Amino acid sequence: MLYYSLKKNSPPISFKDAVLLGQAPDGGLYFPENPTEANKQLGGRQGITRQIVELHPHEFATQYMLPYVTPELQPDELHQIIDETLSFPLPLVRVSPQISILELFHGPTMAFKDVGARFMSRCLSRFVGGIGHRVVVLVATSGDTGGAVAHGFSETPGVDVVILYPSGKLSQIQERQITETAANIHPLEVLGNFDDCQRMVKLAFSDSELRKNLFLTSANSINVARWLPQQLYYLSAYRQWNSECQLPPVWCVPSGNFGNMAALLLTVFNGIPARKCLAACNQNDTVPRFLAGKPYEPMQAVATLSNAMDVANPSNFPRIQELFKVTKTELNSLLNAGSIDDKQTKSAIKFVFEQFGYLLDPHTAVGWVYLSDYLREHPNDRGILLATAHPSKFPKVYRLEFGWTPQPIVGLSTESVRTKKSITMPAEYDNLRSWLMQRM
Ligand SMILES: *Cc1c(COP(=O)(O)O)cnc(C)c1O
């Protein structure tokens, strides 16, 4: 499949080139020419909902993803990448009468970003061989991308990873997953917020002088190899849902940069049933304001308890707009967005723990509030909420707010024997540029 730039000032390119480039030379995001090709190949909505239960999950996933990666990956290669990507469980757990939680935190860094990062690192390591020099993966993180990418690319031959993260904004575990890593991972602690990190990364990508010297790519959800495989867990969730419920679910996604929501909408346009798709945001409410009819106007990002969602200018929203445009669908007919504050987030954590004995992480709790509000008004519907991270990644929140210590998942170690390494840097592009020129 070919990918075009949403800014339409760069030529369409293959999957392989889109993975290697990350972002288009004109600064746009890459978008698949036929985003709903899986629907066509698998026989429409009926074919998809039948085969999703009949085929082995990884076999179905391979057939579903194949159009996106053809012809650069063969079906057996893709199957192997999917086996390696989905090497941990993705259970759908019924928590309340109306809400089931899709637990995406059983991977190595305890957040959903493991899925995209594992898929992308495996694609990239297949593709770098052909280009003859080292690739620098440049990535900005609001919390969990960094760890997932550091883990996914650890010791990948031919690849250096440079991770920009906002100083003082990450939980200790999140920071350690970035800074106590292999020699090919280079953490940069930026004296600013996530939007600053993202801006610096975007400037590097549009710096043609720099790109003459370095082969840069991105491992943010900007990169199609990070973004597209996020569809895999929606397939898995629907398969589990379908075995006990015939109603289309209301999907709720705790959202920051909107990559996860953009992936959900792709699966829905490909035929996975949805009553509604809810984007739950924290106080960073650019999209909720826009969907309520106000101008699209990103403000300064504010810090909240759900730090991985502290994004005021979500990169992936243009992809969502494009998807609705090419499918000729009204945005508001399928997508709702709401903003939840820290006070509501905390009371949801307390309520759900006391009522159902289930501990929500702060991001998932934002989603819980928004989904419960929706279901209260739609008492005959039921919903799937994405648990985007495990609570033990945010011990400080529980210690300070509740005096609790969440237990990590047995078998997942957050301990590390390495020492912290990171370089502090002002939030100015010139600093990043000269560091890259000297060090990479
Ligand atoms: C990244 C992240 C989000 C936001 O996902 P987007 O795809 O950026 O909208 C939500 N929760 C957690 C725990 C995350 O790490």
Side-chain angles (χ1 to χ4, degrees), residues 111-113 142 144 254-260 308-309 361 363 388-389:
F112 76 88
K113 295 190 173 80
S142 60
D144 292 321
S255 295
N257 220 6
F258 277 73
N260 215 357
M309 291 159 36
D361 99 283
H363 306 78
T388 49

Side-chain angles (χ1 to χ4, degrees), residues 120-327:
M120 182 186 160
S121 63
R122 282 152 181 86
C123 291
L124 196 60
S125 68
R126 279 173 171 75
F127 297 154
V128 284
I131 62 169
H133 41 88
R134 288 184 80 76
V135 170
V136 177
V137 172
L138 187 60
V139 65
T141 182
S142 60
D144 292 321
T145 294
V149 169
H151 192 280
F153 284 84
S154 173
E155 285 156 24
T156 303
V159 180
D160 280 296
V161 180
V162 178
I163 303 174
L164 280 72
Y165 70 97
S167 180
K169 304 277 198 309
L170 268 55
S171 81
Q172 200 185 0
I173 296 175
Q174 286 176 327
E175 185 171 9
R176 288 181 44 192
Q177 288 176 338
I178 297 170
T179 56
E180 301 175 7
T181 47
N184 67 323
I185 313 293
H186 312 277
L188 301 179
E189 182 173 353
V190 173
L191 302 168
N193 59 28
F194 172 68
D195 289 300
D196 292 320
C197 298
Q198 189 152 262
R199 176 178 47 79
M200 290 162 76
V201 166
K202 281 186 183 156
L203 284 169
F205 280 111
S206 51
D207 184 338
S208 48
E209 260 315 294
L210 178 78
R211 298 190 78 171
K212 274 190 205 136
N213 295 293
L214 287 183
F215 198 103
L216 281 187
T217 191
S218 153
N220 277 101
S221 44
I222 291 173
N223 196 302
V224 292
R226 259 268 330 260
W227 172 48
L228 296 170
Q230 296 189 123
Q231 295 179 91
L232 293 172
Y233 43 74
Y234 294 109
L235 303 181
S236 163
Y238 185 72
R239 188 173 195 276
Q240 296 173 68
W241 173 269
N242 186 258
S243 67
E244 59 160 298
C245 184
Q246 300 310 310
L247 283 176
V250 175
W251 298 90
C252 181
V253 182
S255 295
N257 220 6
F258 277 73
N260 215 357
M261 178 51 88
L264 168 64
L265 292 165
L266 263 183
T267 62
V268 171
F269 283 116
N270 267 305
I272 296 299
R275 179 79 89 204
K276 204 79 184 177
C277 299
L278 307 180
C281 301
N282 58 27
Q283 285 112 295
N284 296 288
D285 63 349
T286 308
V287 174
R289 274 187 283 116
F290 177 67
L291 291 185
K294 306 215 172 67
Y296 193 84
E297 211 172 35
M299 315 267 181
Q300 262 299 75
V302 296
T304 71
L305 290 178
S306 43
N307 69 333
M309 291 159 36
D310 293 346
V311 184
N313 192 7
S315 285
N316 283 288
F317 199 65
R319 281 186 170 138
I320 292 181
Q321 291 175 300
E322 181 76 359
L323 190 55
F324 278 88
K325 205 170 102 198
V326 299
T327 54

